[in-house]
Amino acid sequence: MTNAGSNSGNTTDGGDGHYRNLLLTTLLRLLLIYFLPVVLLAAFFHIQHRHLIRDTRLAHLQSIAEHQAYTLDLFLRERIINLENVIDDPRLNVPPTNIELQRHLDNLRKTSDTFVDLGWFNAAGDLIAYAGPHPDLESRNYGLEAWFLALRGSAKQRIITDTYMGFREQPHFTIAVNRVIDDRYVVLRAVLSPERIEEYVATLQHPERISTALLSEDGMVQVISGKEIKVSTPSPLKPPRHPSIGSDITKRNGSDVFYAWTWLKTTSWVLLVEGEDPSAAAALISGGYATVIIIIGGILLIELLLIVHRARQVVRHKRKTDKQEADLSGQLVQAAKLATVGELAAGIAHEINNPLAIIAEETGLVRDLMDPSFGNALSDEELRNHLDIIHDATFRARDITRKLLGFVRQEKVILAQHDVCKILDGVLDGMLGRELELSNIRVVRDYSPHLPEITTDRHQLEQVFLNIVKNAIDAMENEGTLTVHTSSIHSRVIISISDTGVGMTREQVDKAFLPFFTTKEVGKGTGLGLSVSYGIIKGLRGQISVDSELGRGSMFTIELPLELVSSKPERSHGGKTS
Amino acid sequence: MSKRNDNESEAGTEKLDGKPIRLLIVDDETDFLNAIARRLKMRGFDVVTADNGQTAIEIARKQKFELALLDLKMPGMNGKQVLEILKSEHRFVEVVILTGHGSLESAVECTKLGAFGYLPKPYELDDLIEILKDAYTVRMKKKFEADEDRLKNILSLATGGSALGILRALKKLDTPEK
């Protein structure tokens, strides 16, 4: 009951905005429900995929690094063994002659063309014998060269130097072995061309996307694939010493750089393999991506369209049910109105029958006066007088039917600024005016002089006042005082209507707003008036309550807001709930 | 149709039993009161009007009436209250209720309170006169029966033989009953 009433209030001020909001929220909800899991799942798989690609990539680079480091180790070890074979050759004179060395160099070059030259040093670092392209180097002293000092100063029997320029001013590196032959410390040294090593370093697969470099312990580039060798250039990447084999990802110029390293076993060089972000590369190579995107986009579009369609359907359905509900509550209010009219019927009949009786009597009288058998002559003046009375009576009756129709006619809810006191006066002087007078009820109007106007529906409020005042009249039987009081507190208008009638018991007060509850005799009241009034007041965002004492009278209090904001009606607190 | 009826009835209702019926009409609608009073006067009734219950009761105390026409809904004293007082103060007055209210409950209630008839407004004048005539007949009959009882009573007192009884009977004959 009360729900129906408040709903009718909602729908009247709801409008299109309300449904647009509903459509948006429904859409959002559906999108979240349908797309969120898909997006999350996609994101999860994407991340998994990326990780997989990265791991694969790193493993790939790692294997290249390991493989090449192994190859390089093998190569360097071979070169040292070559050199050791020469120095340990029992046929070799100590010290050898240049020719001897040349012959050995020629032999070495047959195994590996990386050998540039051979040199034989004594303990002081003097170059005793030499074979190679720089004969001018002969008789130079290498005693203070870093590699020589390193070899001389340690217990090691072999050394592999970093690349350096040296006396010949060309990048080269040196391998050297030492021996003590016949109590004499001798060193055999070979210069190797780094260009040759580059061939070992360069990879076979995708050389454009994978670069390989050989770095010294302090991070200087020794050899780099596909690039001109720049000795002693610091490498931007410096792999850690431990672990000796590893891989990682770093950022350079905003993009990921994948790299793997392996430290050589023969010398403290590290082999560094670098590659680009594989997903970026993958994006470049797969031209099929476009079709995939089109297909996925198409599916998403279809799903989106379906969702929009579904949301619209939901809103349309809601709109329909709202309308039905509003219609229903409208019908209920209308039924209650008619019921009120039924209760008013006897009073209304009286008000119409009285003027009709006057008309009947006046017309009869005029006819009598015109009848010669009564012998009375009717003057024009007198006739006019009687006609005036008939006229007045006719319009008295018309006013009553008009008031009745004005009340019964189903009016649309029209919200406008109204003075509550004027609406009260309309009820007290209009439809119920004569009944109040005939029932000897004194009406005390205690109106606040500064009552603000409120935004409300006049007809609905009229109906509420009518119900309450009519109940008051019935409660007071044949005399009493009806006090109507208005005031305003905190942007709310308070109307109280109290009577000096029979009043109600506690139980009756509790049930006063329940539908079909009536204290009147069977057939006199429908019990709808107050329950509908309750619904109307709730719909107008107000509150209605009753206070009553048996034998003393009842007081109805209505509270209405000044503005009818289009928010949900507040929950009733206190007063009656039904 | 009603005109013919009017004409027919007019002749017979001018006077009943040679003297006019005394009738008190009470209604708060003065236009109605004046019109009906005039029309009934034209038809031989002796009419006095009152536009409220209090006045009606006061008039009834001063003048004798055989019949009364009463409206129910009136400001101040209402029809039912007037009916009760009239019936208690004047035993033989017959009251006809004339009201626009016209509900069955009020008709039953008024009959219980002693009203002779109940006529809803608006009505045909003929119907009203018919009811008034009936009311008058009933009233006369009741009055006659009451008089007869009284006479019998007096007669029995007189025939009792004692001088005191005859004296009492004579005294009773002198004071007319209300």
Side-chain angles (χ1 to χ4, degrees), chain A residues 346 349-350 353-354 356-358 360-362 364-365 367-369 371 373-374 376 382 386 389 396 434 437-438 440 478, chain B residues 2-3 6-7 10 28-29 31-32 35-36 38-39 42-43 73-76 78 81 99-101 105 121-123 125:
Chain A
H350 180 259
N353 285 337
N354 268 337
L356 286 181
I358 292 171
E361 277 315 311
E362 287 292 328
L365 181 60
R367 208 166 51 215
D368 287 351
L369 290 174
D371 194 331
S373 62
F374 285 107
N376 280 328
E382 208 180 347
H386 289 300
I389 293 171
R396 225 177 95 190
R434 190 77 184 129
E437 190 191 331
L438 287 174
N440 300 308
N478 203 40
Chain B
S2 61
K3 190 167 184 176
D6 275 355
N7 287 342
E10 271 156 19
D28 62 319
E29 298 272 358
D31 285 335
F32 173 77
I36 191 170
R38 241 181 119 179
R39 290 187 80 196
M42 286 163 92
R43 281 160 181 79
K73 282 210 162 187
M74 288 184 290
N78 70 23
Q81 291 166 318
T99 179
H101 202 273
E105 291 96 328
K121 285 188 200 171
Y123 52 86
L125 190 64

Short mmCIF file of all heavy atoms in Angstrom, two decimals, chain A residues 346 349-350 353-354 356-358 360-362 364-365 367-369 371 373-374 376 382 386 389 396 434 437-438 440 478, chain B residues 2-3 6-7 10 28-29 31-32 35-36 38-39 42-43 73-76 78 81 99-101 105 121-123 125:
data_model
loop_
_atom_site.label_atom_id
_atom_site.label_comp_id
_atom_site.label_asym_id
_atom_site.label_seq_id
_atom_site.Cartn_x
_atom_site.Cartn_y
_atom_site.Cartn_z
N ALA A 346 -23.67 10.74 0.95
CA ALA A 346 -24.88 11.20 1.65
C ALA A 346 -24.85 12.71 1.81
O ALA A 346 -25.84 13.40 1.54
CB ALA A 346 -24.97 10.51 3.00
N ALA A 349 -25.32 14.34 -1.57
CA ALA A 349 -26.72 14.21 -1.99
C ALA A 349 -27.55 15.29 -1.30
O ALA A 349 -28.37 15.96 -1.93
CB ALA A 349 -27.25 12.83 -1.63
N HIS A 350 -27.29 15.47 -0.02
CA HIS A 350 -28.02 16.49 0.74
C HIS A 350 -27.83 17.85 0.11
O HIS A 350 -28.78 18.61 -0.08
CB HIS A 350 -27.51 16.49 2.17
CG HIS A 350 -28.18 17.48 3.04
ND1 HIS A 350 -27.60 18.68 3.37
CD2 HIS A 350 -29.39 17.48 3.64
CE1 HIS A 350 -28.42 19.37 4.13
NE2 HIS A 350 -29.52 18.66 4.32
N ASN A 353 -29.71 17.85 -3.21
CA ASN A 353 -31.16 17.74 -3.08
C ASN A 353 -31.80 19.02 -2.56
O ASN A 353 -32.92 19.36 -2.94
CB ASN A 353 -31.51 16.58 -2.15
CG ASN A 353 -31.32 15.25 -2.85
OD1 ASN A 353 -31.35 15.20 -4.08
ND2 ASN A 353 -31.13 14.20 -2.09
N ASN A 354 -31.10 19.73 -1.70
CA ASN A 354 -31.67 20.97 -1.16
C ASN A 354 -31.94 22.00 -2.24
O ASN A 354 -33.07 22.47 -2.34
CB ASN A 354 -30.77 21.53 -0.06
CG ASN A 354 -31.21 21.03 1.31
OD1 ASN A 354 -32.37 20.64 1.49
ND2 ASN A 354 -30.29 21.00 2.24
N LEU A 356 -32.33 21.40 -5.33
CA LEU A 356 -33.34 20.81 -6.21
C LEU A 356 -34.73 21.00 -5.61
O LEU A 356 -35.69 21.33 -6.33
CB LEU A 356 -33.07 19.31 -6.41
CG LEU A 356 -31.92 18.95 -7.33
CD1 LEU A 356 -31.78 17.44 -7.45
CD2 LEU A 356 -32.10 19.57 -8.71
N ALA A 357 -34.85 20.85 -4.29
CA ALA A 357 -36.13 21.05 -3.62
C ALA A 357 -36.59 22.50 -3.77
O ALA A 357 -37.78 22.77 -3.97
CB ALA A 357 -36.01 20.67 -2.15
N ILE A 358 -35.60 23.41 -3.67
CA ILE A 358 -35.94 24.83 -3.85
C ILE A 358 -36.49 25.06 -5.25
O ILE A 358 -37.54 25.69 -5.43
CB ILE A 358 -34.71 25.73 -3.60
CG1 ILE A 358 -34.31 25.66 -2.13
CG2 ILE A 358 -34.99 27.16 -4.04
CD1 ILE A 358 -32.99 26.33 -1.81
N ALA A 360 -37.86 22.91 -7.26
CA ALA A 360 -39.17 22.28 -7.39
C ALA A 360 -40.26 23.14 -6.76
O ALA A 360 -41.31 23.39 -7.36
CB ALA A 360 -39.14 20.90 -6.74
N GLU A 361 -39.97 23.63 -5.58
CA GLU A 361 -40.97 24.45 -4.87
C GLU A 361 -41.23 25.76 -5.58
O GLU A 361 -42.38 26.19 -5.70
CB GLU A 361 -40.51 24.72 -3.44
CG GLU A 361 -40.81 23.60 -2.47
CD GLU A 361 -42.22 23.05 -2.61
OE1 GLU A 361 -43.20 23.85 -2.63
OE2 GLU A 361 -42.35 21.82 -2.70
N GLU A 362 -40.14 26.39 -6.04
CA GLU A 362 -40.29 27.68 -6.71
C GLU A 362 -41.07 27.54 -8.01
O GLU A 362 -41.96 28.34 -8.29
CB GLU A 362 -38.92 28.31 -6.97
CG GLU A 362 -38.23 28.84 -5.74
CD GLU A 362 -38.93 30.06 -5.13
OE1 GLU A 362 -39.52 30.86 -5.89
OE2 GLU A 362 -38.88 30.21 -3.90
N GLY A 364 -43.18 25.21 -8.75
CA GLY A 364 -44.56 24.90 -8.36
C GLY A 364 -45.30 26.15 -7.94
O GLY A 364 -46.45 26.38 -8.33
N LEU A 365 -44.60 26.99 -7.18
CA LEU A 365 -45.22 28.22 -6.68
C LEU A 365 -45.58 29.15 -7.83
O LEU A 365 -46.68 29.68 -7.88
CB LEU A 365 -44.25 28.90 -5.72
CG LEU A 365 -44.73 30.20 -5.08
CD1 LEU A 365 -46.02 29.97 -4.28
CD2 LEU A 365 -43.65 30.80 -4.18
N ARG A 367 -46.14 28.35 -10.88
CA ARG A 367 -47.28 27.79 -11.60
C ARG A 367 -48.59 28.06 -10.84
O ARG A 367 -49.60 28.41 -11.42
CB ARG A 367 -47.08 26.30 -11.78
CG ARG A 367 -47.78 25.77 -13.00
CD ARG A 367 -47.30 24.39 -13.35
NE ARG A 367 -47.37 23.52 -12.17
CZ ARG A 367 -46.50 22.57 -11.92
NH1 ARG A 367 -45.51 22.35 -12.75
NH2 ARG A 367 -46.63 21.82 -10.84
N ASP A 368 -48.52 27.89 -9.53
CA ASP A 368 -49.70 28.17 -8.70
C ASP A 368 -50.14 29.61 -8.86
O ASP A 368 -51.33 29.90 -8.99
CB ASP A 368 -49.38 27.92 -7.23
CG ASP A 368 -49.28 26.44 -6.91
OD1 ASP A 368 -49.62 25.63 -7.79
OD2 ASP A 368 -48.83 26.10 -5.79
N LEU A 369 -49.13 30.51 -8.86
CA LEU A 369 -49.45 31.93 -8.94
C LEU A 369 -50.06 32.30 -10.28
O LEU A 369 -50.79 33.27 -10.38
CB LEU A 369 -48.19 32.76 -8.68
CG LEU A 369 -47.66 32.72 -7.24
CD1 LEU A 369 -46.34 33.46 -7.13
CD2 LEU A 369 -48.67 33.32 -6.26
N ASP A 371 -51.96 30.29 -11.88
CA ASP A 371 -53.22 29.54 -12.02
C ASP A 371 -54.40 30.42 -11.58
O ASP A 371 -54.44 30.88 -10.45
CB ASP A 371 -53.13 28.31 -11.11
CG ASP A 371 -54.22 27.30 -11.43
OD1 ASP A 371 -55.29 27.74 -11.89
OD2 ASP A 371 -53.97 26.10 -11.21
N SER A 373 -57.29 29.63 -10.84
CA SER A 373 -58.16 29.06 -9.82
C SER A 373 -57.74 29.50 -8.42
O SER A 373 -58.50 29.43 -7.48
CB SER A 373 -58.15 27.53 -9.91
OG SER A 373 -56.85 27.04 -9.67
N PHE A 374 -56.44 29.90 -8.29
CA PHE A 374 -56.00 30.45 -7.00
C PHE A 374 -56.25 31.95 -6.91
O PHE A 374 -56.05 32.54 -5.86
CB PHE A 374 -54.51 30.17 -6.78
CG PHE A 374 -54.25 28.73 -6.41
CD1 PHE A 374 -53.68 27.85 -7.30
CD2 PHE A 374 -54.62 28.26 -5.15
CE1 PHE A 374 -53.46 26.53 -6.97
CE2 PHE A 374 -54.39 26.94 -4.82
CZ PHE A 374 -53.81 26.06 -5.72
N ASN A 376 -54.64 34.43 -7.88
CA ASN A 376 -53.53 35.36 -7.67
C ASN A 376 -52.95 35.83 -8.99
O ASN A 376 -52.70 35.03 -9.87
CB ASN A 376 -52.41 34.66 -6.91
CG ASN A 376 -52.70 34.61 -5.43
OD1 ASN A 376 -53.33 35.50 -4.89
ND2 ASN A 376 -52.27 33.54 -4.81
N GLU A 382 -42.41 40.01 -9.19
CA GLU A 382 -42.45 38.82 -8.36
C GLU A 382 -41.90 37.62 -9.13
O GLU A 382 -41.13 36.81 -8.61
CB GLU A 382 -43.89 38.55 -7.93
CG GLU A 382 -43.96 37.82 -6.62
CD GLU A 382 -45.41 37.56 -6.21
OE1 GLU A 382 -46.32 38.17 -6.81
OE2 GLU A 382 -45.62 36.73 -5.31
N HIS A 386 -38.71 35.10 -8.27
CA HIS A 386 -38.74 33.64 -8.17
C HIS A 386 -37.73 33.00 -9.12
O HIS A 386 -37.07 32.03 -8.76
CB HIS A 386 -40.16 33.11 -8.44
CG HIS A 386 -41.09 33.43 -7.32
ND1 HIS A 386 -40.89 32.99 -6.03
CD2 HIS A 386 -42.23 34.18 -7.29
CE1 HIS A 386 -41.86 33.46 -5.26
NE2 HIS A 386 -42.69 34.20 -6.01
N ILE A 389 -34.32 33.10 -7.68
CA ILE A 389 -34.11 32.07 -6.66
C ILE A 389 -33.82 30.72 -7.33
O ILE A 389 -32.90 29.99 -6.94
CB ILE A 389 -35.35 31.96 -5.73
CG1 ILE A 389 -35.48 33.25 -4.91
CG2 ILE A 389 -35.22 30.75 -4.81
CD1 ILE A 389 -36.76 33.35 -4.12
N ARG A 396 -26.09 26.61 -7.35
CA ARG A 396 -25.58 26.01 -6.12
C ARG A 396 -25.34 24.51 -6.34
O ARG A 396 -24.30 23.97 -5.96
CB ARG A 396 -26.63 26.18 -5.01
CG ARG A 396 -26.04 26.63 -3.71
CD ARG A 396 -27.13 26.85 -2.70
NE ARG A 396 -27.30 25.67 -1.86
CZ ARG A 396 -28.32 25.54 -1.01
NH1 ARG A 396 -29.25 26.48 -0.94
NH2 ARG A 396 -28.41 24.47 -0.25
N ARG A 434 -20.00 23.22 3.97
CA ARG A 434 -21.39 23.16 4.39
C ARG A 434 -21.58 22.06 5.44
O ARG A 434 -22.32 22.22 6.42
CB ARG A 434 -22.19 22.88 3.13
CG ARG A 434 -23.63 22.99 3.18
CD ARG A 434 -24.27 24.32 3.15
NE ARG A 434 -25.69 24.01 3.31
CZ ARG A 434 -26.48 24.55 4.19
NH1 ARG A 434 -26.04 25.52 4.94
NH2 ARG A 434 -27.73 24.17 4.30
N GLU A 437 -20.48 23.20 8.73
CA GLU A 437 -21.43 24.16 9.28
C GLU A 437 -22.65 23.42 9.83
O GLU A 437 -23.10 23.66 10.95
CB GLU A 437 -21.84 25.12 8.15
CG GLU A 437 -22.64 26.31 8.60
CD GLU A 437 -23.22 27.04 7.42
OE1 GLU A 437 -22.60 27.00 6.32
OE2 GLU A 437 -24.30 27.63 7.56
N LEU A 438 -23.16 22.47 9.04
CA LEU A 438 -24.35 21.73 9.44
C LEU A 438 -24.07 20.84 10.64
O LEU A 438 -24.97 20.50 11.38
CB LEU A 438 -24.85 20.88 8.27
CG LEU A 438 -25.52 21.67 7.15
CD1 LEU A 438 -25.85 20.77 5.99
CD2 LEU A 438 -26.77 22.38 7.66
N ASN A 440 -22.30 21.67 13.07
CA ASN A 440 -21.99 22.58 14.19
C ASN A 440 -20.54 22.47 14.64
O ASN A 440 -20.26 22.39 15.82
CB ASN A 440 -22.91 22.29 15.37
CG ASN A 440 -24.35 22.48 14.98
OD1 ASN A 440 -24.72 23.51 14.44
ND2 ASN A 440 -25.16 21.45 15.21
N ASN A 478 -22.12 15.69 16.30
CA ASN A 478 -22.95 16.87 16.05
C ASN A 478 -22.41 18.18 16.57
O ASN A 478 -23.05 19.19 16.44
CB ASN A 478 -24.36 16.65 16.57
CG ASN A 478 -25.33 17.55 15.86
OD1 ASN A 478 -25.20 17.74 14.64
ND2 ASN A 478 -26.25 18.15 16.58
N SER B 2 -48.22 16.28 -13.35
CA SER B 2 -48.40 16.69 -11.97
C SER B 2 -49.40 17.85 -11.87
O SER B 2 -50.03 18.04 -10.85
CB SER B 2 -47.06 17.08 -11.36
OG SER B 2 -46.53 18.17 -12.10
N LYS B 3 -49.48 18.60 -12.96
CA LYS B 3 -50.39 19.75 -12.94
C LYS B 3 -51.84 19.31 -12.74
O LYS B 3 -52.56 19.87 -11.93
CB LYS B 3 -50.26 20.53 -14.26
CG LYS B 3 -50.98 21.85 -14.24
CD LYS B 3 -50.58 22.71 -15.41
CE LYS B 3 -51.25 24.09 -15.29
NZ LYS B 3 -50.81 24.96 -16.36
N ASP B 6 -52.38 18.29 -9.31
CA ASP B 6 -52.49 19.47 -8.46
C ASP B 6 -53.91 20.01 -8.47
O ASP B 6 -54.48 20.27 -7.42
CB ASP B 6 -51.53 20.55 -8.96
CG ASP B 6 -50.12 20.32 -8.38
OD1 ASP B 6 -49.98 19.40 -7.56
OD2 ASP B 6 -49.21 21.07 -8.76
N ASN B 7 -54.37 20.16 -9.69
CA ASN B 7 -55.70 20.73 -9.84
C ASN B 7 -56.75 19.89 -9.13
O ASN B 7 -57.64 20.41 -8.46
CB ASN B 7 -56.07 20.87 -11.31
CG ASN B 7 -55.27 22.02 -11.95
OD1 ASN B 7 -54.74 22.87 -11.22
ND2 ASN B 7 -55.16 22.01 -13.26
N GLU B 10 -56.42 20.23 -5.32
CA GLU B 10 -56.61 21.57 -4.74
C GLU B 10 -57.96 21.74 -4.05
O GLU B 10 -58.02 22.20 -2.91
CB GLU B 10 -56.48 22.63 -5.84
CG GLU B 10 -55.05 23.08 -6.01
CD GLU B 10 -54.80 23.64 -7.40
OE1 GLU B 10 -55.79 23.99 -8.07
OE2 GLU B 10 -53.63 23.71 -7.82
N ASP B 28 -33.83 25.29 7.44
CA ASP B 28 -32.87 26.41 7.44
C ASP B 28 -32.73 27.07 6.08
O ASP B 28 -32.14 28.12 5.96
CB ASP B 28 -31.50 25.94 7.94
CG ASP B 28 -30.91 24.87 7.04
OD1 ASP B 28 -31.68 23.99 6.60
OD2 ASP B 28 -29.69 24.91 6.78
N GLU B 29 -33.28 26.40 5.04
CA GLU B 29 -33.25 27.01 3.69
C GLU B 29 -34.44 27.96 3.58
O GLU B 29 -35.57 27.52 3.34
CB GLU B 29 -33.35 25.92 2.62
CG GLU B 29 -32.21 24.93 2.65
CD GLU B 29 -31.04 25.40 1.79
OE1 GLU B 29 -31.14 26.48 1.16
OE2 GLU B 29 -30.03 24.68 1.79
N ASP B 31 -35.37 30.20 1.33
CA ASP B 31 -36.06 30.25 0.03
C ASP B 31 -37.06 29.12 -0.07
O ASP B 31 -38.21 29.30 -0.50
CB ASP B 31 -35.05 30.12 -1.12
CG ASP B 31 -34.27 31.42 -1.31
OD1 ASP B 31 -34.80 32.47 -0.92
OD2 ASP B 31 -33.13 31.36 -1.84
N PHE B 32 -36.59 27.94 0.33
CA PHE B 32 -37.45 26.77 0.30
C PHE B 32 -38.63 26.95 1.26
O PHE B 32 -39.77 26.68 0.93
CB PHE B 32 -36.64 25.53 0.70
CG PHE B 32 -37.45 24.30 0.85
CD1 PHE B 32 -37.88 23.59 -0.26
CD2 PHE B 32 -37.80 23.83 2.12
CE1 PHE B 32 -38.64 22.45 -0.12
CE2 PHE B 32 -38.56 22.70 2.25
CZ PHE B 32 -38.99 22.00 1.14
N ALA B 35 -41.31 29.36 -0.05
CA ALA B 35 -42.07 28.84 -1.17
C ALA B 35 -43.06 27.78 -0.72
O ALA B 35 -44.25 27.83 -1.07
CB ALA B 35 -41.10 28.25 -2.21
N ILE B 36 -42.60 26.84 0.09
CA ILE B 36 -43.51 25.76 0.48
C ILE B 36 -44.61 26.28 1.40
O ILE B 36 -45.77 25.85 1.32
CB ILE B 36 -42.74 24.57 1.12
CG1 ILE B 36 -43.69 23.39 1.25
CG2 ILE B 36 -42.10 24.92 2.42
CD1 ILE B 36 -43.06 22.11 1.63
N ARG B 38 -45.91 29.19 1.28
CA ARG B 38 -46.91 29.89 0.46
C ARG B 38 -47.81 28.91 -0.26
O ARG B 38 -49.03 29.09 -0.33
CB ARG B 38 -46.19 30.77 -0.56
CG ARG B 38 -46.57 32.24 -0.34
CD ARG B 38 -45.90 33.12 -1.35
NE ARG B 38 -46.88 33.82 -2.15
CZ ARG B 38 -46.53 34.68 -3.12
NH1 ARG B 38 -45.25 34.87 -3.37
NH2 ARG B 38 -47.46 35.30 -3.80
N ARG B 39 -47.19 27.86 -0.81
CA ARG B 39 -47.98 26.92 -1.58
C ARG B 39 -48.95 26.15 -0.69
O ARG B 39 -50.06 25.86 -1.08
CB ARG B 39 -47.05 25.93 -2.30
CG ARG B 39 -46.27 26.59 -3.40
CD ARG B 39 -45.50 25.56 -4.19
NE ARG B 39 -46.34 24.88 -5.15
CZ ARG B 39 -46.01 23.74 -5.76
NH1 ARG B 39 -44.86 23.15 -5.46
NH2 ARG B 39 -46.82 23.19 -6.63
N MET B 42 -51.83 28.33 0.19
CA MET B 42 -52.76 28.41 -0.94
C MET B 42 -53.68 27.20 -0.96
O MET B 42 -54.74 27.23 -1.54
CB MET B 42 -51.99 28.50 -2.27
CG MET B 42 -51.36 29.86 -2.50
SD MET B 42 -50.09 29.76 -3.78
CE MET B 42 -51.05 30.15 -5.22
N ARG B 43 -53.17 26.09 -0.35
CA ARG B 43 -53.98 24.87 -0.34
C ARG B 43 -54.72 24.69 0.98
O ARG B 43 -55.12 23.58 1.33
CB ARG B 43 -53.09 23.68 -0.63
CG ARG B 43 -52.80 23.58 -2.12
CD ARG B 43 -51.58 22.75 -2.43
NE ARG B 43 -51.37 22.73 -3.90
CZ ARG B 43 -50.81 23.72 -4.56
NH1 ARG B 43 -50.42 24.80 -3.93
NH2 ARG B 43 -50.66 23.63 -5.87
N LYS B 73 -31.01 18.17 8.68
CA LYS B 73 -29.71 18.82 8.83
C LYS B 73 -29.88 20.32 8.92
O LYS B 73 -30.21 20.99 7.94
CB LYS B 73 -28.81 18.46 7.64
CG LYS B 73 -28.22 17.08 7.76
CD LYS B 73 -26.88 17.05 7.07
CE LYS B 73 -26.07 15.86 7.53
NZ LYS B 73 -24.70 15.90 6.99
N MET B 74 -29.63 20.82 10.12
CA MET B 74 -29.74 22.26 10.32
C MET B 74 -28.61 22.69 11.24
O MET B 74 -28.23 21.95 12.13
CB MET B 74 -31.08 22.61 10.97
CG MET B 74 -32.27 22.44 10.05
SD MET B 74 -33.76 22.97 10.85
CE MET B 74 -33.98 21.71 12.08
N PRO B 75 -28.12 23.89 11.03
CA PRO B 75 -27.14 24.37 12.01
C PRO B 75 -27.81 24.59 13.36
O PRO B 75 -29.02 24.82 13.41
CB PRO B 75 -26.63 25.67 11.40
CG PRO B 75 -27.54 26.01 10.28
CD PRO B 75 -28.37 24.83 9.94
N GLY B 76 -27.04 24.52 14.39
CA GLY B 76 -27.62 24.62 15.72
C GLY B 76 -28.27 23.30 16.07
O GLY B 76 -27.68 22.24 15.89
N ASN B 78 -30.34 20.13 15.55
CA ASN B 78 -30.70 19.44 14.30
C ASN B 78 -32.10 18.81 14.40
O ASN B 78 -32.74 18.83 15.46
CB ASN B 78 -29.64 18.43 13.90
CG ASN B 78 -29.58 17.23 14.82
OD1 ASN B 78 -30.56 16.90 15.51
ND2 ASN B 78 -28.44 16.59 14.83
N GLN B 81 -33.11 16.31 17.20
CA GLN B 81 -33.29 16.90 18.54
C GLN B 81 -34.64 17.61 18.63
O GLN B 81 -35.37 17.45 19.62
CB GLN B 81 -32.15 17.89 18.81
CG GLN B 81 -30.81 17.17 18.98
CD GLN B 81 -29.63 18.13 18.92
OE1 GLN B 81 -29.61 19.03 18.08
NE2 GLN B 81 -28.66 17.93 19.79
N THR B 99 -36.22 15.82 4.16
CA THR B 99 -34.76 16.09 4.15
C THR B 99 -34.11 15.75 2.83
O THR B 99 -34.59 14.89 2.09
CB THR B 99 -34.07 15.31 5.29
OG1 THR B 99 -32.67 15.57 5.23
CG2 THR B 99 -34.28 13.82 5.15
N GLY B 100 -33.03 16.43 2.57
CA GLY B 100 -32.26 16.13 1.36
C GLY B 100 -31.29 15.00 1.60
O GLY B 100 -30.72 14.43 0.68
N HIS B 101 -31.08 14.65 2.83
CA HIS B 101 -30.08 13.64 3.17
C HIS B 101 -30.47 12.27 2.62
O HIS B 101 -29.65 11.60 1.99
CB HIS B 101 -29.90 13.59 4.68
CG HIS B 101 -28.59 13.02 5.09
ND1 HIS B 101 -28.40 11.69 5.26
CD2 HIS B 101 -27.40 13.63 5.33
CE1 HIS B 101 -27.14 11.48 5.60
NE2 HIS B 101 -26.51 12.65 5.65
N GLU B 105 -30.98 4.78 6.96
CA GLU B 105 -30.70 4.73 8.40
C GLU B 105 -31.38 5.88 9.14
O GLU B 105 -31.99 5.67 10.19
CB GLU B 105 -29.19 4.81 8.66
CG GLU B 105 -28.41 3.59 8.24
CD GLU B 105 -27.80 3.75 6.86
OE1 GLU B 105 -28.40 4.44 6.02
OE2 GLU B 105 -26.71 3.19 6.64
N LYS B 121 -36.19 15.05 -0.13
CA LYS B 121 -36.25 16.20 -1.06
C LYS B 121 -35.51 15.82 -2.33
O LYS B 121 -34.49 15.13 -2.24
CB LYS B 121 -35.53 17.40 -0.44
CG LYS B 121 -36.27 18.11 0.64
CD LYS B 121 -35.44 19.37 0.95
CE LYS B 121 -35.75 19.94 2.31
NZ LYS B 121 -34.81 21.00 2.68
N PRO B 122 -35.81 16.30 -3.49
CA PRO B 122 -37.08 17.00 -3.80
C PRO B 122 -38.22 16.00 -3.93
O PRO B 122 -37.98 14.84 -4.18
CB PRO B 122 -36.76 17.69 -5.12
CG PRO B 122 -35.69 16.86 -5.75
CD PRO B 122 -34.94 16.18 -4.67
N TYR B 123 -39.43 16.49 -3.81
CA TYR B 123 -40.61 15.60 -3.76
C TYR B 123 -41.71 16.23 -4.59
O TYR B 123 -41.63 17.40 -4.96
CB TYR B 123 -41.08 15.45 -2.31
CG TYR B 123 -41.25 16.79 -1.68
CD1 TYR B 123 -42.46 17.50 -1.82
CD2 TYR B 123 -40.20 17.42 -1.02
CE1 TYR B 123 -42.58 18.76 -1.32
CE2 TYR B 123 -40.32 18.68 -0.52
CZ TYR B 123 -41.52 19.36 -0.67
OH TYR B 123 -41.65 20.64 -0.20
N LEU B 125 -45.36 17.73 -4.64
CA LEU B 125 -46.20 18.36 -3.62
C LEU B 125 -47.37 17.45 -3.24
O LEU B 125 -47.77 17.37 -2.08
CB LEU B 125 -46.71 19.72 -4.13
CG LEU B 125 -47.39 20.58 -3.07
CD1 LEU B 125 -46.40 20.97 -1.98
CD2 LEU B 125 -48.02 21.82 -3.68
#
